[in-house]
Amino acid sequence: MADSDDEPITLSSHALAALQDFYGERDAHAQKFEKLKAAAEEQHESGQPLSMEAFTEDWNESQFWYSDETATLLAKQLVDGIREDEVVAVVSAPSVFVALKNLLNSKDAPSPKPKKVYLLEHDQRFAVFPEFVFYDFQQPLKLPVDLKGSVDRIICDPPFLSEDCQTKAALTVRWMSRPRSQLIVCTGERMEPLVTKLYQSFGAQTTTYEPRHARGLSNEFYCYANFECEEWRFQGEKKKGT
């Protein structure tokens, strides 16, 4: 009797086609990643500002980049008055991260600079940056252990306007924040009751600033924070003054 283990393994034409497609997509992804990495390195070495143009928005990932003006404004608030021993985390807001990179590498960079900057992001394209940490809000605490209780300044833009996503993102923020961390949360206006509840322990409130997106967005967006600055006041304070 012939040993069936000695028979060569054969694949159907459909299986072969699917396998070829898989390898083709993998190779294309690798080539695209290398191009993005090379472009980022070239811009960094030449001193040119980084641009989000290399990173096309993926609406299936709920990606809507901020306008350059908004991204820069938020980045500046993250490092305004920062100390050299403070750590910054940008959660699901890569356009703010790129603006922050540009700010820290510019001639107008704040002094001192933060001790460390992290980008927590689901999109693997941003792994071209050494600050990248893969982040899936469905697993809010699956993060490097050294992040726990170590972050002084945080901006978070949960990718989806759902209670589940907002709650899990808040769990991540609470897990990695230090006592009295400075916090900015940007998300939809209709999330206001939930957001102010989730971040009540931080003292976060709705502010007067309205973030803008590069391609526009039908959902009205709010900026929530636990501090006031030149760019915004708490909405409650604005109402008192009117």
Side-chain angles (χ1 to χ4, degrees), residues 188-206:
E189 173 270 338
R190 64 187 176 92
M191 292 287 104
E192 182 178 26
L194 179 62
V195 169
T196 51
K197 178 181 178 182
L198 289 172
Y199 299 100
Q200 185 176 11
S201 62
F202 288 84
Q205 300 182 45
T206 309

Side-chain angles (χ1 to χ4, degrees), residues 75-87:
K76 286 181 176 178
Q77 290 308 315
L78 275 176
V79 293
D80 183 40
I82 199 163
R83 301 191 310 270
E84 61 184 5
D85 62 341
E86 290 189 305
V87 175

Side-chain angles (χ1 to χ4, degrees), residues 115-135:
K115 176 183 177 181
K116 187 89 173 177
V117 175
Y118 293 99
L119 170 64
L120 277 63
E121 174 59 41
H122 188 266
D123 189 341
Q124 293 279 6
R125 292 180 298 172
F126 292 95
V128 298
F129 299 109
E131 298 91 343
F132 174 84
V133 176
F134 179 74
Y135 174 63

Side-chain angles (χ1 to χ4, degrees), residues 8-177:
I9 298 174
T10 59
L11 295 175
S12 68
S13 59
H14 293 296
L16 282 171
L19 190 60
Q20 289 174 347
D21 288 343
F22 170 79
Y23 284 123
E25 290 178 4
R26 186 191 65 178
D27 292 343
H29 177 78
Q31 291 175 5
K32 188 173 183 180
F33 179 85
E34 289 303 322
K35 287 181 179 178
L36 285 172
K37 185 177 181 181
E41 290 175 348
E42 181 180 353
Q43 285 182 314
H44 177 71
E45 292 173 0
S46 66
Q48 297 178 7
L50 298 169
S51 171
M52 289 299 291
E53 291 182 3
F55 303 93
T56 306
E57 293 170 325
D58 183 348
W59 292 356
N60 290 324
E61 290 275 346
S62 190
Q63 290 180 335
F64 303 93
W65 306 150
Y66 292 122
S67 67
D68 289 343
E69 180 183 0
T70 289
T72 301
L73 183 150
L74 293 171
K76 286 181 176 178
Q77 290 308 315
L78 275 176
V79 293
D80 183 40
I82 199 163
R83 301 191 310 270
E84 61 184 5
D85 62 341
E86 290 189 305
V87 175
V88 176
V90 180
V91 184
S92 302
S95 54
V96 175
F97 168 76
V98 167
L100 180 58
K101 288 272 288 185
N102 287 333
L103 178 62
L104 294 176
N105 291 326
S106 72
K107 63 180 181 180
D108 299 322
S111 181
K113 294 182 180 180
K115 176 183 177 181
K116 187 89 173 177
V117 175
Y118 293 99
L119 170 64
L120 277 63
E121 174 59 41
H122 188 266
D123 189 341
Q124 293 279 6
R125 292 180 298 172
F126 292 95
V128 298
F129 299 109
E131 298 91 343
F132 174 84
V133 176
F134 179 74
Y135 174 63
D136 182 354
F137 79 86
Q138 297 285 10
Q139 297 176 301
L141 303 184
K142 192 175 182 181
L143 292 164
V145 67
D146 57 347
L147 266 173
K148 184 177 181 180
S150 69
V151 183
D152 304 277
R153 299 181 179 221
I154 304 168
I155 183 168
C156 180
D157 181 352
F160 299 101
L161 300 181
S162 69
E163 182 173 346
D164 179 63
C165 179
Q166 300 284 332
T167 301
K168 288 175 178 174
L171 182 60
T172 301
V173 170
R174 289 196 296 269
W175 180 82
M176 67 181 177
S177 64

Side-chain angles (χ1 to χ4, degrees), residues 175-191:
W175 180 82
M176 67 181 177
S177 64
R178 288 183 187 270
R180 296 179 295 280
S181 290
Q182 182 173 295
L183 175 67
I184 303 170
V185 179
C186 295
T187 191
E189 173 270 338
R190 64 187 176 92
M191 292 287 104

